[in-house]
Amino acid sequence: MQTQSKLALCSLPLALCATGSVLAQGQQDFSAVQIKTHQVAGNVYYLEGQGGNVGLLIGDDGVLMIDDQFAPLSEKLQAAIKALSNKPVRFLVNTHVHGDHTGGNENFGKLGLDIIAHDNVRVRLAKGVNGGAPSPAVALPVVTYGDKMTLHLNGETVTIAKLPPSHTDGDSYIHFAKADVIHTGDSFRTIGYPGVDFNNGGSVKGMIAALQALYDAAGPNTKILPGHGVVVTRAEIAAQRDLTVELQKRFTDLVKRGLTLEQVVAAKPTADLDEKYGSSERLVPAFYNAVKAEQ
Ligand SMILES: [Zn+2]
């Protein structure tokens, strides 16, 4: 059960997601991964490779980077950044603790930049995520915050703010005021079901609140850059919130009826949704455990 819950984290590919990343990195061949660069708006870009979307703000003051995928991809990511800007990466924000968003921390930390994250991300990385090895000091955030912080660079006002515990208990979103872009981290993704990592403080109630908070932080034209997937608008966030409310209702009913996890799996509570959202193999144990704990 623990293994299943631990896997209830990220999007594709399954083997690379989050907690499995330490193992997966040793097994996975990243040599074929190509980094694709996408402009979101103005000086805000994102890099698509393997793992979470890497957000970038470029300009004369230096590069702000959001998340760093897996360690074997650091050089490719650096090359893609260099193609956009001749300035060094000055800040690296971790949206949350998972290895497909923080795997490059050690490599990038050695470049001397400052890693920024919510307080809980540093605590979990320092301890070791899901029984994994503690991160070395150079891979840890040196600037942490509890509620909200603001960076002023490249003519942008960049707000990094805490979301309610949803995907994990250290989720941040990053808002670029001038470009009107929000990087949501994994509290919102356009791929698959909502991901609640119960073992790292994720919550179904919190996920609904986080999606509402992201919706409220966005305007109708704000470009939403998800943790995984493609750029959308806040209408997609509203749809994800409504889906999460529906899932919460279904799982609450099953928990109240006293069903075990095995019985819930057998009941296939998302059979009608799987065609649209993909496999519920990781969703079911995560939502079952979270909803049970949140009764
Ligand atoms: Zn994640």
Side-chain angles (χ1 to χ4, degrees):
M1 186 190 300
Q2 199 190 10
T3 306
Q4 285 179 320
S5 301
K6 273 159 60 174
L7 287 172
L9 305 169
C10 295
S11 56
L12 304 172
L14 304 188
L16 293 179
C17 260
T19 56
S21 63
V22 175
L23 242 182
Q25 278 184 50
Q27 298 166 341
Q28 179 76 16
D29 179 9
F30 287 91
S31 61
V33 176
Q34 291 187 341
I35 309 297
K36 286 187 200 144
T37 302
H38 305 265
Q39 186 178 26
V40 185
N43 290 339
V44 179
Y45 293 78
Y46 80 95
L47 305 179
E48 179 192 355
Q50 190 85 68
N53 285 330
V54 174
L56 296 172
L57 170 69
I58 64 165
D60 290 343
D61 299 333
V63 177
L64 166 74
M65 178 178 181
I66 302 168
D67 289 342
D68 54 28
Q69 300 191 346
F70 296 99
L73 296 174
S74 296
E75 283 184 19
K76 288 182 185 178
L77 292 173
Q78 283 180 65
I81 294 167
K82 277 207 177 85
L84 282 176
S85 171
N86 57 7
K87 300 289 181 181
V89 181
R90 191 164 161 187
F91 300 107
L92 165 61
V93 181
N94 291 152
T95 59
H96 64 290
V97 74
H98 289 152
D100 57 335
H101 298 255
T102 61
N105 272 19
E106 183 172 358
N107 294 334
F108 282 97
K110 282 176 180 167
L111 300 177
L113 51 71
D114 289 327
I115 302 177
I116 301 170
H118 184 266
D119 297 335
N120 292 345
V121 173
R122 183 182 161 93
V123 171
R124 288 195 182 276
L125 285 174
K127 236 189 322 194
V129 182
N130 295 320
S135 290
V138 71
L140 296 176
V142 296
V143 180
T144 65
Y145 78 96
D147 188 32
K148 187 189 263 198
M149 66 180 290
T150 307
L151 298 177
H152 305 269
L153 78 165
N154 299 328
E156 259 293 0
T157 304
V158 184
T159 305
I160 307 168
K162 178 189 184 346
L163 286 165
S166 41
H167 183 61
T168 68
D169 62 5
D171 299 314
S172 294
Y173 73 93
I174 297 91
H175 180 235
F176 299 92
K178 191 173 157 193
D180 199 12
V181 174
I182 292 176
H183 189 308
T184 66
D186 276 3
S187 295
F188 173 70
R189 305 175 307 200
T190 63
I191 294 170
Y193 281 110
V196 169
D197 179 3
F198 181 65
N199 291 324
N200 281 302
S203 154
V204 171
K205 262 186 198 164
M207 180 61 82
I208 294 165
L211 290 165
Q212 187 62 49
L214 286 168
Y215 182 87
D216 292 342
N221 301 317
T222 303
K223 292 192 165 65
I224 305 296
L225 173 59
H228 297 258
V230 297
V231 174
V232 292
T233 67
R234 69 176 184 177
E236 274 73 17
I237 294 178
Q240 184 91 323
R241 175 202 59 204
D242 294 347
L243 168 67
T244 311
V245 168
E246 171 61 24
L247 292 168
Q248 182 192 41
K249 201 188 299 169
R250 292 186 188 190
F251 282 90
T252 301
D253 287 347
L254 295 166
V255 165
K256 279 189 176 159
R257 281 164 49 195
L259 269 67
T260 64
L261 174 58
E262 289 66 28
Q263 289 169 324
V264 172
V265 170
K268 300 191 191 323
T270 60
D272 58 322
L273 299 169
D274 291 350
E275 195 182 331
K276 181 169 181 189
Y277 295 100
S279 169
S280 60
E281 196 182 332
R282 294 182 286 159
L283 168 89
V284 173
F287 267 60
Y288 175 82
N289 286 320
V291 163
K292 203 170 179 186
E294 291 163 20
Q295 282 288 290

